[in-house]
Amino acid sequence: MTIAAGMVTIAAVITVAINPPAGIAVGIAAGLLGIGAGALTFASANGCGIYIRWSFDTPIWTGSQC
């Protein structure tokens, strides 16, 4: 996710030069990916790994296995 957040950030910079409203939307997506990557990193900080709780086909919660 961290790599994807970086790639989307680069896409936002390119997109904002071409179409500013679309660039803002892509920038928001990059921010949300960054927040998600940070949450997963925080959950796995103790070296125990993470778990993902699913509801049907949608992940609804992540947390540490510690």
Side-chain angles (χ1 to χ4, degrees):
M1 278 184 74
T2 305
I3 293 170
M7 291 172 59
V8 174
T9 301
I10 292 170
V13 170
I14 294 169
T15 306
V16 80
I18 298 168
N19 185 354
I24 291 171
V26 175
I28 291 170
L32 291 173
L33 274 171
I35 291 170
L40 290 177
T41 301
F42 180 75
S44 67
N46 292 329
C48 299
I50 62 168
Y51 68 89
I52 302 172
R53 185 172 167 204
W54 293 81
S55 175
F56 299 105
D57 62 345
T58 306
I60 60 170
W61 185 263
T62 61
S64 176
Q65 291 185 12
C66 293

